[in-house]
Amino acid sequence: MSDAALQNSSIALLRGQVLDRLRLRDRIFHFSTVAAALIVLAILAGVIIALFIGAIPALCNFGAGFLVSQRWNPVTENFGALAPIYGTLVTSLIAMVIAVPFGLLIAVFLTELCPIWLRRPIGIAIELLAGIPSIIYGIWGLFVFAPFLQGTLQPFLIKVFGNVPVLSELFAGPPYGIGILTAGLILAIMVLPFVTSISRDVFEAIPPVLKEAAYGVGATTWEVVRNVVLPYARVGVVGGFMLGLGRALGETMAVTFVIGNAHRISPSLLAPGTTISATIANEFTEAVGDIYTSSLIALGLILFVMTFIVLAAARYMLLRIDRRMG
Amino acid sequence: MRYMKTLVAAGIFAVATLGIATAANISGAGATFPYPVYAKWADAYKKETGVGLNYQSIGSGGGIKQIQAKTVTFGATDMPLKGEELTKAGLIQFPTVLGGVVPVFNIDGVAAGGLVLDSATLARIFLGEIKSWDDSAIKKLNPETKFPAQAIVVVHRSDGSGTTFIFTDYLAKTNADWKSKVGANTAVEWPVGIGAKGNEGVANNVANTKGAIGYVEYAYAKQNKLAFAKMINKAGSAVAPTAAAFQAAAASADWVGTPGFAIVLTDEVGAASWPIAGATFILIHKQPQDAEAVSETLKFFAWAYSKGDKMAEELDYVPMPDNVVNAIQKAWAAEIKDQSGKAIFAVSN
């Protein structure tokens, strides 16, 4: 009897030790995950604070005028962010206008129409497109794509729209090859993989029964895509657009090579312009003087805020579709 | 979320790699223009003496900031600091090698050297006032050449650059309009034209665009056999860009009488002088905390002045004239002192 009790209590003791050890291990694991996550937050906060402190001299000096002035004169130290902001928004807009329809078409093809054996090769090719370093896009853009556009698309646009009221302004001027439009086209190629792969993932998450039902009542592929797939996947697809847009806004090297780097706002899309990230990449190394450096950091802060808004919107939309799909 | 994490991670790596410093006996940072020759000198010097040089070509602005923050033993800049700025920061400045800036063009039917320009015409082209190659001002300077009625496309550097500084300094020195409207700096507010990154970007855009004119470093123009223009200098003669023409400009400048050797070799006198040239500069603290490191640095540059000329010429840089080197070494001996007030560098070796 006493033996059995002793045995029992020693088992209980042993069990307690084991449980303690497991509990400790779990606590350490728990702690490391929390720490890792908090480090990300701390770094993000650090970046924001550093950008803000760096931008203070410029923001104090120019005030709100910094956002609406087109001047960018390093000699007199008179800076304004309007031209880079304009270039950033317009190139990203061009990229999205082209990449979104193409990305959707590819995604629909891959999920609805593509023979199974072709699915993987195309899917992998698209993902490889995302893996090409942006400097490669830049060099290819400058040496191959821009001369090609200069000889073909740009003269064509100038000729075709030469007499159309608004469009003649939009496509005016000599074909330099490089410029806002070229930068937008390069960006379109770069964001295409984002739009495509996210759209594909979202389309694949649609319950097959919905599509089967639609096909069952005699809908064509177009009708299924138009009336079942797209409405169901709408929010997720928009989230994918936003992630692509986030990339387009911040892309630096490829744009720097082909945009023409002129601090001017021209009505023509064929004219050279600049973006926020291109300006920073171009000028930061040789920027002498507090106001100059600070103005560049302030540009960085503006880009950070723009990208943050876009990514937050994307997260929100993806969250909504997650919830809807359970 | 996955994408955002990737972005953040990329940012962390970018920041982390910037902070890595390699241990070396001499450390310097700054201008990108002289980097190839400094690297070549360092390599040969290491073989001879065992002392290594770690030079980070982060740009002139970064070089000035780092020497002021005393994180490096010497800074390097293409745009010389003025005498009063040097005094304020307690720095001594001296030039190492010379380079020239060359206008390059792409006009139908006009060959290399077939275009002669003067400062006024060049300034008016870059101001956007002369818009076509058959303008009377250009025809007047080139009576022999037949120009097409082609629009001029100006190509300039988009990145801040010592090349841009020398070029705009020349235009500002010779043209009142340019001085008041644009000025001189490593980056300026260009009235017209497209910006291209680096010498290779400018050269490529000029090559691709009919009617284009741009400017590149002499070494780059020479190695890539670009069509350059001749310039009419202060003495009124048309000169081609050659190493001899840069040295002629350097020989005629008053180096010794200028505080901090802060001379830009633009619009120099002398019939053989190329008008758009400049030196690249080194910055060192006059009263360094680490006298040993500064001593090593000065030994390195003294060695480079005496034995590095040929290496510089192989890379199409132009060595400093001997009288200037003598003046520089005298300035070292007179101005750079350790904590006890003793000169760190002795001339005579």
Side-chain angles (χ1 to χ4, degrees), chain A residues 43 71-75 142-143 147 150 176 178 194 243 253 256 260-262 264 272 282-283 285-288 292-293, chain B residues 3 12 58-62 65 153 158-161 182 185-195 197 204-205 208:
Chain A
I43 289 171
R71 294 302 299 269
W72 189 267
N73 192 332
V75 181
L142 179 63
F143 287 99
Q150 188 177 20
Y176 290 121
I178 57 180
F194 284 74
L243 286 177
M253 278 330 285
T256 308
N261 303 297
R264 284 188 292 273
N282 271 320
E283 300 185 22
T285 50
E286 296 283 339
V288 182
Y292 195 178
T293 317
Chain B
Y3 290 91
I12 297 167
I58 55 173
S60 299
K65 277 188 206 106
V153 179
S158 62
D159 43 340
S161 157
V182 185
N185 204 333
T186 51
V188 297
E189 189 174 28
W190 296 95
V192 289
I194 43 182
K197 195 163 164 51
N204 185 65
N205 272 307
N208 279 335

Side-chain angles (χ1 to χ4, degrees), chain B residues 53-115:
Chain B
L53 167 76
N54 171 29
Y55 182 74
Q56 304 164 32
S57 59
I58 55 173
S60 299
I64 293 169
K65 277 188 206 106
Q66 292 223 351
I67 186 68
Q68 282 172 347
K70 300 184 180 170
T71 51
V72 288
T73 312
F74 71 88
T77 175
D78 289 332
M79 183 162 80
L81 297 185
K82 293 195 187 75
E84 59 265 35
E85 289 174 300
L86 292 168
T87 319
K88 206 176 122 204
L91 294 168
I92 183 172
Q93 172 174 269
F94 55 91
T96 51
V97 286
L98 303 166
V101 178
V102 185
V104 292
F105 62 87
N106 176 2
I107 315 168
D108 275 339
V110 184
L115 174 67

Side-chain angles (χ1 to χ4, degrees), chain B residues 34-45 53 55 300 315:
Chain B
Y35 172 67
V37 68
Y38 291 173
K40 196 164 184 177
W41 283 345
D43 198 38
Y45 190 68
L53 167 76
Y55 182 74
F300 169 75
L315 294 170

